[in-house]
Amino acid sequence: MKWNLKKYFLLASASLFSAGLWAFPANPTPYSIDNAGDSLTLRNGGDEHYRYTQTVDGYLVISDSNGVYYYVDEEGEASSVKAKNADLRDASDKSFLQKLDKSKVRKSHQKKNPNKLERPDQNGEEKKSEWVPSAENTIPLLRLPSANSHATGTNRFPVLLVASPSASNADSAKYWNQLNKVGYAENNHLGSVKDYFRDQSNGIFVPTFDIYLVSVSNSLSSYTNSVHTLIEEAIASLKVNYPNFDPSLYDSDGDGDIDATAVLYAGTESAANNLGGYQYELQWDGGKISAGSSKKFNSYFIINQMSSATKLLPIATFVHEFSHTMGLKDHYCVAASDCYDDFSNNAYQAPGTHAWDVMSTGMYNNGGGKPVGYSAFEKEFMGWMSYTTLSSSSGVTVLEGLNSSNQAYKVPVSGKADEWYVIENRQQSGWDASLPNHGLLIWHIDYDQTAWNKDVLNDVASHQRIDVVEAGNLKVTGYYDGFDFTHLVDDVFPGSQNVNSFTAMNSWAGVNLGVNLYNILEEDEKVCFATQNGISVETCVVESSSSSVELSSSSETDVSSSSVELLTESFTYAVKLQKDSLYTSVSVDVNEALESLGVAGSASSLFASGDLLYYAVESDGSLNPTSTASAPGNWFDASGNVCNWDSEGSVARVFSELDLSEGIAKIGQYPLKTEIGKSYTIRQALVYGQKRVDLEFKITIVSDSSDAQSENSSVIALLNQQNAVSSFQVHGNLLQANTSLVGKKDLTVYDLSGKILYRDSFYGFSKTLELENLSVKGVFLVRLSQNGRILSLKRMAVH
């Protein structure tokens, strides 16, 4: 097929970078009102696209001009029968309700109350600018995209508190605390928004939110169908109130757009006629708005400040919507006509991931002050952890809690890169304390670009694309069952029904993946299982003499107690690490060690298959196979022993994470817990066949960058890194970066101290730079990256 590359690029980039409308499910917490003399308990349902109110037993209601609620009839209109709680209904009320067809009522009501925020037609294309041409050919589907680049680091984000003539802003100091204060515990919160993301990322992402007080000229409810106007007025107010506003603080990737802006309007959602509640990009509705200094506002989300007249909205909604800005989608049923149908007689469960997932109704666990933690799929998508591939072995696999270990297994579908299973251990602690149950949770992931772009991942009940594989047979028969944990306690293994095996790990095409789980056991917050039938599983205790068997699913070799003498070679690296307040790391080139082991170029795949084993080496020389940082990697204490990262930094001091695909070790520190002049010695080991290499890092903390090492810096260590789809070529005085990837790429040039000499973005398949225009002669570094991922990095010289 002959491709029009220009049209292909334009359409593909529009599909990848146009943010659809991403909302959040309505808070279903029942509330009681006085309904013209009768107590009536109601629940709100739906999301920002279709909202409704119903009784706790599922009858839709509509209020009249006096605020009195009546049942909805089959025409979608208010009937003449006043709504009452079940125990107050008389014979006439019951007779009316018995004759109602609930499904017909809902369909009529939804038809007469169309989407407030219209989603793209599910049978059509995403909304895009007029300059984007239509496709003339079928475009190939792309693989799961990466998270947005602002999902790592200590990035800052502006938060606009928006007042109106009739609604005053909340106390800004209190709101700052809810967003930023470490250990925030007001109103039954486990922590602040910053705490949440720091904990989910194991310190890889520690955001700060800066508050700005602004105002708009009209009542907030008047902007319900004109959000862009509200944003324009809010930004205009920002420029007047804060003439020294510095937008460069909020563009972490240097692409010219502020990474994400939170717009929080005064008062409650209901008082503002359900304004906002979604993430969007300004470019698709009126265009980006200048922020000054050549920066622009684009990505934003808008939610309310208050849940009641006196109480701040809990952090759950902010967490959910901010997660959208980093690239995650909704995992509940969003736009399908049967999202809220009764599934009692359906072959399938009501769609969605429910209380297991912050991108679904799990955001409301514990009232929204303790939203459920990220799943392994979400953490891996963000780049905050890596899966370990699980294959069948004769050993026993032990899986510690995701919260404490950041460990999960992946079972891929052979020949299909976009479908896989994820196996994780979820325990009721930390942000997961309010989960429905604890144990082994299995997810079935099936990425589809169209469903992803349209944010309808779980709208088809018969094909959930982010699916919790239920262990038991309790059904979630409708939307509100997802808030009743009695329908979810059987989802985990062994769970409430003691389901201790899983042999139906099949692709959606019906192909068995060849990996089964037998004798699943939960013990002391660990889960263990065998992947071959007949293997006894009696305990989940990790013994040091057999831990390599238990924690490496495809290894049958116990290195620490093996009678086979391994040929060992040691490599020592002197590392100077600048003391700072971030989790900044430097990178050490360990390719020589990988070459000595005979795994250079294949280390990553060998580790994934279980043939290459990783260990941390304790100070007494014993081997520890458990990764406590991004695997394979570990946090170490001051004595060089393995420890876990903790929120207070009471023990952890330095870490080393191995990037086997690039042949580097990333060395870093716990911010502000190390001492200038202090030295730390940590060791790691890799075993392949009958050979072992030890990596010893002698780390010295120095005071500033002039003392820090250069030969092992993060850019130096990656010299000559290449990618199959990207490369550099030099023609005379011209440097050309080439790539076959669509979307925005970044070309950056550094001097040997790491100072940026040149940076620019481009969307084509090549970028040319005149070397003689650089302000440095001699050796420099050039890097090509996309969404924060390095595609190519090379050391070059200008003479």
Side-chain angles (χ1 to χ4, degrees):
M1 179 181 294
K2 185 177 180 180
W3 281 89
N4 181 323
L5 290 181
K6 182 177 181 180
K7 288 188 175 182
Y8 167 68
F9 162 70
L10 289 173
L11 191 58
S13 62
S15 179
L16 283 173
F17 296 107
S18 63
L21 293 170
W22 300 323
F24 62 89
N27 190 335
T29 305
Y31 58 95
S32 295
I33 64 168
D34 181 347
N35 197 38
D38 294 319
S39 177
L40 177 63
T41 303
L42 300 173
R43 269 177 159 168
N44 295 324
D47 66 5
E48 296 314 306
H49 309 284
Y50 168 55
R51 283 292 181 95
Y52 59 87
T53 303
Q54 66 181 34
T55 64
V56 290
D57 54 348
Y59 292 101
L60 289 184
V61 295
I62 297 176
S63 63
D64 64 11
S65 58
N66 296 317
V68 179
Y69 281 89
Y70 294 85
Y71 297 115
V72 179
D73 61 24
E74 293 181 359
E75 301 301 319
E77 302 286 355
S79 70
S80 60
V81 182
K82 190 179 73 170
K84 301 175 185 175
N85 288 337
D87 60 341
L88 298 178
R89 293 169 189 158
D90 58 26
S92 177
D93 298 331
K94 294 176 182 178
S95 175
F96 171 79
L97 295 176
Q98 287 173 355
K99 296 176 182 177
L100 280 181
D101 182 333
K102 281 186 176 181
S103 178
K104 187 175 181 180
V105 169
R106 187 172 301 281
K107 285 179 171 58
S108 297
H109 180 264
Q110 187 168 8
K111 185 176 180 180
K112 293 194 174 184
N113 294 271
N115 289 348
K116 182 185 73 175
L117 302 172
E118 193 66 41
R119 286 187 178 275
D121 184 350
Q122 292 188 57
N123 296 316
E125 296 179 350
E126 289 283 310
K127 177 180 179 181
K128 45 188 172 286
S129 295
E130 294 179 356
W131 55 265
V132 178
S134 299
E136 295 180 356
N137 301 291
T138 302
I139 295 178
L141 298 185
L142 305 179
R143 293 185 178 180
L144 182 69
S146 301
N148 291 328
S149 58
H150 64 263
T152 60
T154 55
N155 301 325
R156 297 169 64 177
F157 302 90
V159 177
L160 309 186
L161 298 189
V162 184
S164 75
S166 58
S168 300
N169 278 321
D171 186 313
S172 59
K174 290 182 179 180
Y175 220 106
W176 186 95
N177 287 340
Q178 185 165 291
L179 296 176
N180 297 289
K181 184 179 178 180
V182 174
Y184 179 77
E186 301 293 326
N187 297 318
N188 204 29
H189 277 74
L190 178 63
S192 63
V193 174
K194 173 181 284 190
D195 289 332
Y196 179 88
F197 286 113
R198 181 204 59 225
D199 293 348
Q200 301 316 304
S201 68
N202 276 8
I204 294 174
F205 178 52
V206 187
T208 295
F209 301 96
D210 297 335
I211 287 181
Y212 297 92
L213 301 175
V214 301
S215 61
V216 292
S217 58
N218 297 306
S219 66
L220 292 164
S221 61
S222 68
Y223 296 98
T224 300
N225 295 311
S226 183
V227 175
H228 193 278
T229 302
L230 181 144
I231 303 298
E232 286 180 334
E233 290 188 22
I235 292 172
S237 176
L238 170 71
K239 293 176 180 178
V240 171
N241 295 350
Y242 301 89
N244 295 321
F245 174 75
D246 184 0
S248 66
L249 297 174
Y250 308 113
D251 180 16
S252 64
D253 58 5
D255 67 350
D257 286 355
I258 290 176
D259 297 326
T261 302
V263 179
L264 277 54
Y265 61 82
T268 64
E269 185 181 52
S270 59
N273 191 27
N274 297 328
L275 172 66
Y278 58 93
Q279 193 275 344
Y280 201 43
E281 287 185 346
L282 291 166
Q283 67 188 50
W284 305 111
D285 185 14
K288 301 178 184 181
I289 300 175
S290 174
S293 302
S294 300
K295 305 291 183 182
K296 294 183 178 181
F297 287 99
N298 189 20
S299 176
Y300 74 91
F301 65 91
I302 177 169
I303 58 176
N304 45 302
Q305 297 175 21
M306 309 296 291
S307 63
S308 69
T310 59
K311 184 178 178 182
L312 295 180
L313 184 72
I315 67 169
T317 307
F318 193 105
V319 164
H320 178 100
E321 295 296 355
F322 189 84
S323 297
H324 281 316
T325 77
M326 295 189 289
L328 287 176
K329 304 292 186 173
D330 290 309
H331 296 165
Y332 59 95
C333 186
V334 173
S337 60
D338 60 356
C339 279
Y340 311 107
D341 282 355
D342 186 341
F343 277 74
S344 301
N345 298 316
N346 198 301
Y348 307 102
Q349 300 234 18
T353 54
H354 306 294
W356 300 106
D357 194 346
V358 74
M359 301 314 294
S360 186
T361 54
M363 62 185 287
Y364 293 119
N365 288 6
N366 198 47
K370 191 184 294 183
V372 64
Y374 270 28
S375 68
F377 164 75
E378 290 157 346
K379 289 187 175 188
E380 199 275 341
F381 171 81
M382 289 295 176
W384 299 342
M385 64 165 284
S386 299
Y387 299 126
T388 299
T389 301
L390 180 67
S391 57
S392 183
S393 76
S394 61
V396 175
T397 298
V398 177
L399 187 57
E400 300 199 36
L402 181 64
N403 265 345
S404 59
S405 69
N406 218 31
Q407 176 192 24
Y409 286 104
K410 174 182 179 179
V411 182
V413 175
S414 179
K416 192 168 184 232
D418 293 332
E419 183 181 354
W420 65 95
Y421 280 80
V422 179
I423 301 171
E424 62 184 24
N425 174 9
R426 300 295 287 271
Q427 294 296 316
Q428 292 170 316
S429 62
W431 295 96
D432 280 353
S434 298
L435 281 175
N437 205 347
H438 51 86
L440 190 75
L441 197 62
I442 299 177
W443 299 72
H444 188 179
I445 311 298
D446 185 25
Y447 169 70
D448 174 82
Q449 183 187 352
T450 300
W452 183 273
N453 289 343
K454 293 179 181 297
D455 191 28
V456 289
L457 301 181
N458 284 342
D459 279 31
V460 179
S462 60
H463 193 147
Q464 301 282 280
R465 296 192 176 275
I466 308 293
D467 187 31
V468 172
V469 180
E470 296 85 1
N473 58 14
L474 295 178
K475 291 188 62 174
V476 178
T477 59
Y479 174 75
Y480 288 109
D481 284 356
F483 299 98
D484 186 344
F485 287 4
T486 60
H487 296 267
L488 302 170
V489 294
D490 68 320
D491 287 357
V492 291
F493 297 78
S496 63
Q497 297 184 10
N498 195 30
V499 181
N500 61 10
S501 65
F502 181 60
T503 59
M505 203 172 295
N506 302 318
S507 71
W508 282 105
V511 178
N512 189 275
L513 306 192
V515 176
N516 297 318
L517 308 185
Y518 300 99
N519 298 324
I520 301 171
L521 175 67
E522 184 181 14
E523 180 183 67
D524 296 330
E525 298 191 347
K526 297 181 178 67
V527 174
C528 50
F529 54 85
T531 52
Q532 292 184 11
N533 202 5
I535 303 295
S536 176
V537 181
E538 298 179 354
T539 180
C540 292
V541 174
V542 181
E543 300 289 350
S544 60
S545 62
S546 61
S547 57
S548 63
V549 174
E550 294 169 340
L551 291 176
S552 179
S553 60
S554 59
S555 170
E556 300 177 33
T557 303
D558 180 354
V559 174
S560 60
S561 63
S562 174
S563 60
V564 178
E565 184 175 354
L566 298 176
L567 177 63
T568 302
E569 185 174 1
S570 297
F571 294 81
T572 301
Y573 305 88
V575 182
K576 290 184 178 180
L577 190 61
Q578 178 186 353
K579 181 179 176 64
D580 65 13
S581 60
L582 310 177
Y583 287 84
T584 307
S585 65
V586 298
S587 296
V588 178
D589 190 337
V590 297
N591 277 297
E592 184 181 1
L594 298 181
E595 290 173 0
S596 173
L597 194 59
V599 298
S602 59
S604 182
S605 60
L606 289 171
F607 175 73
S609 67
D611 294 321
L612 175 64
L613 305 180
Y614 164 81
Y615 302 90
V617 184
E618 302 278 10
S619 61
D620 62 2
S622 62
L623 300 181
N624 187 333
T626 305
S627 288
T628 57
S630 293
N634 284 91
W635 277 98
F636 296 86
D637 64 16
S639 300
N641 290 310
V642 171
C643 63
N644 288 312
W645 177 91
D646 67 278
S647 60
E648 301 300 326
S650 57
V651 176
R653 290 296 175 267
V654 293
F655 66 84
S656 174
E657 298 172 336
L658 301 184
D659 185 340
L660 296 175
S661 63
E662 308 298 347
I664 61 174
K666 297 179 181 178
I667 310 295
Q669 64 192 297
Y670 200 110
L672 305 180
K673 295 297 182 179
T674 55
E675 302 174 22
I676 296 174
K678 176 75 174 178
S679 294
Y680 303 89
T681 298
I682 61 176
R683 291 183 292 164
Q684 295 167 292
L686 294 168
V687 176
Y688 182 62
Q690 295 185 6
K691 187 171 183 179
R692 164 181 163 182
V693 296
D694 283 6
L695 310 174
E696 182 178 68
F697 303 99
K698 294 183 176 296
I699 305 167
T700 302
I701 307 300
V702 298
S703 60
D704 56 48
S705 58
S706 63
D707 295 332
Q709 65 179 28
S710 62
E711 289 307 313
N712 283 327
S713 68
S714 60
V715 283
I716 298 289
L718 291 170
L719 296 182
N720 300 318
Q721 176 192 353
Q722 296 293 339
N723 183 290
V725 297
S726 303
S727 64
F728 296 111
Q729 292 181 353
V730 176
H731 306 284
N733 243 352
L734 298 178
L735 167 69
Q736 185 174 356
N738 303 301
T739 178
S740 61
L741 296 178
V742 299
K744 188 180 73 172
K745 277 80 61 177
D746 298 301
L747 181 63
T748 311
V749 179
Y750 305 84
D751 66 19
L752 294 186
S753 69
K755 179 182 177 182
I756 296 177
L757 304 174
Y758 171 89
R759 179 164 60 189
D760 196 10
S761 301
F762 65 102
Y763 283 88
F765 297 102
S766 66
K767 174 74 174 179
T768 301
L769 174 65
E770 293 185 9
L771 297 178
E772 62 184 6
N773 292 336
L774 294 178
S775 58
V776 67
K777 300 298 181 182
V779 180
F780 63 95
L781 302 169
V782 58
R783 183 182 74 178
L784 181 64
S785 60
Q786 184 177 52
N787 292 331
R789 180 171 65 92
I790 297 174
L791 303 176
S792 294
L793 182 66
K794 194 167 186 177
R795 185 172 183 166
M796 309 189 78
V798 174
H799 301 293

